[in-house]
Amino acid sequence: MAETITIIDDRTGKKVTVQVKDGVFASSALRELDPNLRMYDPAFLSTAACSSSITYLDGEAGVLRYRGYPIEQLAEKSTFLEVAYLLLNGELPTTQQAEKWKFDVTHHTMIHENMRKRFVDGFHYDAHPMGMFISAIAALGTFYDDSKNIFDEDVLNKQILRLVAKVPTIAAMTYRFSSGLPFVLPNNSMPYAQNFLNMMYRIGDDYTVHPALARAMDVLFILHADHEQNCGTTTMRVVASSHADPYSATAAAAAALSGPLHGGANEAVIHMLHEISDVKNVSAFVEQVKNGDDRLMGFGHRVYKNFDPRATILKKAAYDVFEVTGKNPLLDVALKLEEVALNDEYFISRKLYPNVDFYSGLIYQALGFPVEMFTVLFAIPRTVGWLAHMSELLKDKEQKISRPRQWYTGVDERNYVEMKKR
Ligand code: CMC
């Protein structure tokens, strides 16, 4: 079978034949027909803006792989730091590489005292942690004047290491500030997720991290580490394409993540479950959604049209966590909602299934996180994915500064009218 597509311009009779590889063709071929031809693709539904070898996603089959490794295997057998190394470097680390990576990350967890004392203390007492997180990441870049030197690989890798190491410290700091609690310094003898939970919850000497909960946190981090060209990662690539420094680009990506249709959905799920509050109200809520008066948060995905493999792993992880913490009272509402929706024609015909955010919020809540922290929890591991994409982009000879075209639909030229004549 020919792996080509022939496109005919009926206006001129010109035709062009283009190669199709893996279901993709280079749209630049269209310019051969007419240099002014544009493809109108709002929200990039049919556009591959880059080639990437980091994450593979098959939405129809519910497949997600990092660098070829199935997410199910990584969630079961790996650790977040190992997955971070894999995403950033392309291969799983050897014992020696893993030790060095772990040592390096755990020895870059501190942040400058000015960040804590002056920058974070300057926020209003009820500032949203995600707003604090986004601005703190951008501010962090100002402490490293070499951070703009993005084409020096060693320098770039140093910033990547700093960001991966410091995001949990910043995240925990936003929480401690919101709660009026003193900051807890990073503990370099603890593994990544355990150290984060310790910075979140330690009061004096009175806190031990339960190993099952630290593992659940680590699995949550693994599942959120990358997800190819989603809104936040696309933002990362667009901003990095202007050769902005990694801190500015990461802050921009985090800002994209904060919206309720993206990383903010886990927070919205909990608000929704609270609003429903009882299994007996589920059917009425689902009717509201079908009438278009509401949206079933944590359901639906631009790419997954069968199931989201992360949601399957998280549903099981939720039960493991509840064994330690006791059941989240909203679980029954969530289970009923899932059951009703999965058997309803509206959701079946639109291929709407639970996504990663449907169960993650319940686990976060059981781990003691306030809902305002949920998107920050997503941003910690996703920082790794964003930076892997930035590194890849900077090495990609086919990439230039992102600059899409538009379809102008405004008024034609007209003359300025003096105020008194309007
Ligand atoms: N509840 C009710 N109806 C929905 C939902 C939902 N959650 N999601 C999609 N639909 C309907 C939508 O109204 C449309 O119906 P119709 O054809 O009658 O107009 C149809 O399904 C197609 O939806 P769409 O809005 O064209 O789909 P999209 O690919 O643009 O949106 C989405 C994807 C994730 C933004 C959307 O499904 C949604 O808003 N979900 C709720 C928010 C959410 O859980 N977001 C987290 C996504 S996963 C984490 C991440 O990657 O950020």
Side-chain angles (χ1 to χ4, degrees):
M1 197 176 63
E3 288 294 316
T4 55
I5 286 182
T6 299
I7 304 159
I8 302 173
D9 186 340
D10 292 326
R11 299 168 305 167
T12 58
K14 272 199 208 170
K15 66 176 179 181
V16 64
T17 298
V18 289
Q19 291 293 324
V20 181
K21 192 160 180 255
D22 303 330
V24 180
F25 75 92
S27 64
S28 55
L30 295 175
R31 290 203 290 274
E32 288 178 34
L33 296 176
D34 173 352
N36 292 318
L37 211 53
R38 314 241 183 286
M39 296 195 313
Y40 179 58
D41 186 15
F44 315 125
L45 291 174
S46 318
T47 297
C50 63
S51 63
S52 178
S53 55
I54 300 172
T55 289
Y56 174 77
L57 212 167
D58 180 341
E60 291 299 328
V63 169
L64 172 62
R65 296 180 203 136
Y66 296 160
R67 302 282 190 185
Y69 294 101
I71 194 68
E72 293 80 3
Q73 290 182 22
L74 295 171
E76 192 193 331
K77 299 179 179 160
S78 188
T79 63
F80 172 67
L81 271 196
E82 187 178 60
V83 166
Y85 185 97
L86 171 71
L87 286 167
L88 290 163
N89 299 288
E91 295 297 336
L92 287 168
T94 60
T95 311
Q96 234 176 1
Q97 288 165 333
E99 285 305 314
K100 180 171 179 347
W101 172 238
K102 204 167 92 187
F103 180 88
D104 287 347
V105 171
T106 43
H107 287 83
H108 282 86
T109 46
M110 248 0 148
I111 54 170
H112 196 287
E113 276 291 275
N114 280 357
M115 276 288 291
R116 182 170 76 77
K117 290 200 180 129
R118 294 169 182 238
F119 187 79
V120 174
D121 275 357
F123 281 104
H124 199 245
Y125 71 94
D126 60 354
H128 194 288
M130 193 57 186
M132 293 165 73
F133 180 86
I134 293 165
S135 15
I137 296 293
L140 191 62
T142 64
F143 289 83
Y144 305 108
D145 54 7
D146 55 347
S147 67
K148 303 210 176 305
N149 199 359
I150 54 171
F151 287 105
D152 182 323
E153 207 169 337
D154 290 341
V155 174
L156 179 66
N157 286 339
K158 185 74 177 280
Q159 313 315 316
I160 291 175
L161 175 63
R162 284 177 171 144
L163 274 160
V164 174
K166 292 178 205 305
V167 279
T169 314
I170 290 175
M173 211 165 60
T174 67
Y175 166 74
R176 303 288 294 202
F177 174 81
S178 307
S179 318
L181 292 166
F183 300 115
V184 176
L185 293 176
N187 181 330
N188 291 350
S189 66
M190 287 184 181
Y192 197 82
Q194 191 186 345
N195 180 34
F196 172 57
L197 291 172
N198 186 58
M199 288 189 286
M200 283 286 302
Y201 297 125
R202 173 168 290 277
I203 309 247
D205 288 335
D206 188 20
Y207 182 69
T208 4
V209 185
H210 192 291
L213 303 187
R215 177 62 194 160
M217 193 77 250
D218 212 48
V219 170
L220 279 154
F221 283 166
I222 292 172
L223 298 182
H224 287 86
D226 193 45
H227 211 232
E228 53 121 298
Q229 310 308 320
N230 54 79
C231 180
T233 305
T234 300
T235 305
M236 183 79 184
R237 280 182 171 266
V238 169
V239 176
S241 80
S242 78
H243 298 168
D245 69 78
Y247 299 89
S248 305
T250 302
L257 184 74
S258 70
L261 295 188
H262 193 7
N266 47 23
E267 187 175 336
V269 170
I270 296 297
H271 290 310
M272 174 189 75
L273 294 176
H274 270 299
E275 194 189 313
I276 301 172
S277 78
D278 197 297
V279 282
K280 70 176 189 304
N281 302 326
V282 163
S283 298
F285 179 79
V286 169
E287 284 312 307
Q288 243 169 271
V289 170
K290 286 160 64 180
N291 293 337
D293 298 332
D294 240 312
R295 191 154 267 246
L296 186 43
M297 299 313 286
F299 256 66
H301 199 274
R302 173 61 59 77
V303 186
Y304 292 120
K305 300 297 174 196
N306 187 337
F307 67 95
D308 180 340
R310 301 168 301 172
T312 313
I313 298 168
L314 279 184
K315 190 171 176 182
K316 190 191 161 295
Y319 285 100
D320 295 345
V321 169
F322 298 157
E323 258 183 40
V324 179
T325 62
K327 195 173 81 177
N328 184 324
L330 293 174
L331 177 68
D332 291 336
V333 179
L335 288 172
K336 185 72 186 165
L337 195 55
E338 185 185 19
E339 182 198 315
V340 172
L342 291 180
N343 288 296
D344 190 296
E345 188 46 33
Y346 175 96
F347 299 92
I348 296 170
S349 62
R350 289 170 179 77
K351 299 188 172 183
L352 301 172
Y353 297 87
N355 60 47
V356 68
D357 292 317
F358 194 69
Y359 283 103
S360 62
L362 289 174
I363 305 181
Y364 292 148
Q365 220 177 25
L367 291 174
F369 294 103
V371 280
E372 297 75 30
M373 277 299 288
F374 289 6
T375 318
V376 176
L377 298 173
F378 192 154
I380 295 172
R382 186 54 61 85
T383 297
V384 166
W386 292 329
L387 292 164
H389 282 272
M390 178 167 179
S391 289
E392 186 178 66
L393 170 105
L394 294 177
K395 289 187 197 113
D396 184 344
K397 297 272 181 287
E398 291 189 349
Q399 289 294 336
K400 293 171 183 282
I401 184 166
S402 280
R403 206 308 185 183
R405 304 303 299 266
Q406 66 166 8
W407 175 5
Y408 178 71
T409 55
V411 291
D412 218 338
E413 185 179 358
R414 52 182 167 171
N415 289 324
Y416 182 79
V417 182
E418 296 299 327
M419 180 106 52
K420 57 182 184 290
K421 292 191 184 155
R422 284 176 215 163

